[in-house]
Amino acid sequence: MKFKGLLRWELERSFRFPILEFTLAILLYRVFLVMFQFSAGVSDYVGSLPTSEEVPRKLWESLIYHTGLAMVGSYIQMAVIFSTLASMLAYDFSSGCLRLQLSYPLSRSQVFAAKILTYLVATTMLILTAYLATMNLLGGGVTPPELLPSLIALIGLTIIEASYIFSIALSMSLITRNTLATFISSLLMLLGLDSAAMTYKEPLSSLIPPSSLRRAVWMLRRGSPIPLEGIITPMIVSGALLAACYLYFSRRLEV
Amino acid sequence: MRSQERAGLNISIVGLIMLLVLLILSGETVEKGRSFINSESFTFSLIYLVPRDTKIILEVEPSTADLSLMLLDEENMARFLKGQSFTPLAEHRGFSGGVILESTPGRGIYGLYMENPSKNAVSVRTRIIMTGMMMDALALSLTLISSGIIIILISLLKREKSGRG
């Protein structure tokens, strides 16, 4: 079996019935609920008039930041989705599926990469597609090219949040190696971190997603410099956890 | 489950979730705002409206002040801003106290122009009250649900036919 085949198999297995349906239902409920609330006040001008070119730009700016806040605000939904996927990895240990995968003429790095691509990349793409498609549906067209840099920045923040959540859930699956324990522990860990940031405010809220990333979106909206610590901290956490998981998976893991 | 049936199921799920959210959001929604208009000046507000039953209620303080207002759709707003001839969706001249604009707009951006010709500054309290379902999203959700069901049925019929054959 080649890497491409493994990836395809992993995708089909991970999003088998009813996992994809469950993911879609959780995700779309949040997407539609938040996005359809976009209405009313966009911008006010006192004693002056906008130019006719400015009007659609103002609408799209408003829509893009509404979408950006919604994307980084989908923390709980992402936590549930990634905890479910991580618990499926834990299921691979108990079901013997991982033993079978490791018996193929593929390196452990390739098996790990296939899992990361399936769980993290495919799911994040699904989340982004749902939001961006709804945004373009509401805007009645495609995002104007001059606003693409802001949109890309907001997509980047969502990817950082998804990586942070996934890396914690993945670590839990490698620690517990049990389906239910992974789901419960990673969900509790992620919700606990969010709750700690809400309770103790500074400095946790400026370092831990989603509050740190929500703040970054607000700063982008105002055109102020983004607080870097709020972006770098989740990147370091997810990078360190993914590297640790990779090293453990490729060198130490015994199945 | 075959891939065609699964695609149909997923399309139906998208439509069903959209319908569920539309039902949740179909209750009354009120958006509030307040603007101050200086003497012999004006304000121009850009508002995004959706196809629901919409009431725009404007209350002027002091209630004796006279104001003029226009509600413009996207096309007429562009003409107005370019200084060309335009037709407002609604227009009230010299009103005082309060005014209600009622419409079921299409989805899009609208312009609310308010002018204060008097010598005193006024405050305008705006309330946009929306009720009912978003008709465009409702149509889309029903289309998705029915498309999904049709795909599933076609797939099941094909399977039955090939089973007999």
Side-chain angles (χ1 to χ4, degrees):
Chain A
M1 182 185 268
K2 287 183 180 171
F3 178 70
K4 217 172 151 184
L6 176 70
L7 191 62
R8 195 180 162 182
W9 182 44
E10 194 75 58
L11 273 168
E12 280 173 1
R13 210 172 51 86
S14 304
F15 293 109
R16 68 177 181 266
F17 182 81
I19 302 293
L20 179 64
E21 286 70 18
F22 169 74
T23 309
L24 269 181
I26 290 181
L27 179 65
L28 291 178
Y29 177 74
R30 163 79 189 179
V31 172
F32 292 147
L33 196 63
V34 178
M35 295 300 289
F36 283 150
Q37 283 173 3
F38 177 78
S39 64
V42 171
S43 192
D44 287 325
Y45 296 84
V46 181
S48 66
L49 289 171
T51 60
S52 55
E53 293 80 26
E54 207 177 327
V55 173
R57 192 167 53 82
K58 280 280 173 195
L59 167 67
W60 274 99
E61 254 178 30
S62 205
L63 198 51
I64 284 172
Y65 285 103
H66 180 81
T67 309
L69 273 175
M71 287 195 296
V72 298
S74 301
Y75 182 82
I76 295 173
Q77 287 72 21
M78 281 197 228
V80 173
I81 292 168
F82 283 120
S83 298
T84 310
L85 292 173
S87 62
M88 283 177 62
L89 177 68
Y91 176 72
D92 286 354
F93 286 102
S94 53
S95 66
C97 186
L98 192 65
R99 194 190 292 262
L100 178 69
Q101 284 182 337
L102 292 176
S103 70
Y104 291 136
L106 288 164
S107 69
R108 284 191 171 206
S109 302
Q110 284 177 311
V111 176
F112 187 77
K115 290 196 182 295
I116 296 286
L117 283 172
T118 308
Y119 296 140
L120 179 60
V121 181
T123 312
T124 308
M125 277 172 69
L126 190 68
I127 293 167
L128 291 174
T129 307
Y131 273 112
L132 299 180
T134 314
M135 182 187 78
N136 285 296
L137 191 75
L138 297 186
V142 289
T143 314
E146 67 267 27
L147 293 171
L148 280 178
S150 319
L151 187 62
I152 290 166
L154 296 170
I155 289 172
L157 292 177
T158 313
I159 293 170
I160 291 171
E161 183 166 287
S163 311
Y164 168 84
I165 294 171
F166 174 71
S167 63
I168 290 174
L170 181 70
S171 310
M172 286 299 160
S173 76
L174 288 179
I175 292 168
T176 63
R177 292 195 190 189
N178 178 285
T179 314
L180 192 62
T182 299
F183 182 75
I184 292 172
S185 61
S186 52
L187 205 55
L188 285 178
M189 174 72 99
L190 288 161
L191 296 182
L193 283 167
D194 180 31
S195 172
M198 301 285 272
T199 311
Y200 298 107
K201 305 279 181 202
E202 294 299 331
L204 285 182
S205 61
S206 58
L207 298 173
I208 295 176
S211 50
S212 69
L213 298 175
R214 209 177 280 143
R215 195 172 294 183
V217 176
W218 279 115
M219 292 299 182
L220 267 171
R221 176 89 166 115
R222 282 187 202 160
S224 315
I226 303 173
L228 285 177
E229 73 274 10
I231 298 172
I232 291 171
T233 311
M235 280 170 80
I236 291 173
V237 169
S238 51
L241 285 177
L242 285 175
C245 289
Y246 168 70
L247 288 174
Y248 177 72
F249 190 89
S250 58
R251 295 181 189 182
R252 295 262 171 208
L253 183 71
E254 285 173 18
V255 285
Chain B
M1 189 179 280
R2 280 184 178 183
S3 59
Q4 219 176 359
E5 286 164 28
R6 195 142 183 240
L9 178 67
N10 283 318
I11 291 169
S12 296
I13 286 174
V14 176
L16 275 171
I17 300 288
M18 193 184 277
L19 186 63
L20 172 73
V21 169
L22 289 175
L23 284 169
I24 292 169
L25 294 178
S26 66
E28 191 177 271
T29 314
V30 184
E31 300 275 350
K32 291 176 184 172
R34 183 182 276 274
S35 47
F36 295 93
I37 315 174
N38 289 327
S39 59
E40 295 173 343
S41 185
F42 63 90
T43 62
F44 188 78
S45 304
L46 293 175
I47 47 179
Y48 181 83
L49 296 175
V50 294
R52 300 177 70 186
D53 294 333
T54 307
K55 267 185 197 170
I56 305 173
I57 302 171
L58 298 146
E59 288 170 63
V60 188
E61 288 169 18
S63 57
T64 49
D66 285 347
L67 280 188
S68 295
L69 78 84
M70 283 187 300
L71 182 67
L72 300 153
D73 62 11
E74 199 169 350
E75 191 189 333
N76 283 293
M77 181 168 39
R79 297 175 72 84
F80 167 71
L81 294 174
K82 283 177 185 164
Q84 297 168 345
S85 65
F86 62 93
T87 317
L89 278 181
E91 188 174 18
H92 288 269
R93 289 194 180 273
F95 78 90
S96 54
V99 67
I100 299 175
L101 305 173
E102 279 185 80
S103 67
T104 308
R107 183 180 291 280
I109 194 153
Y110 291 78
L112 183 65
Y113 177 83
M114 286 186 282
E115 195 179 318
N116 174 22
S118 71
K119 298 281 180 198
N120 299 310
V122 295
S123 154
V124 182
R125 203 154 69 92
T126 314
R127 272 182 301 151
I128 302 173
I129 302 170
M130 288 171 280
T131 47
M133 287 222 224
M134 288 175 216
M135 299 316 287
D136 58 347
L138 178 67
L140 180 63
S141 70
L142 293 176
T143 310
L144 287 169
I145 294 168
S146 47
S147 310
I149 292 170
I150 289 168
I151 292 170
I152 294 169
L153 287 176
I154 289 172
S155 174
L156 288 174
L157 283 172
K158 264 187 192 171
R159 195 200 289 189
E160 203 174 311
K161 246 184 184 178
S162 63
R164 276 183 200 161

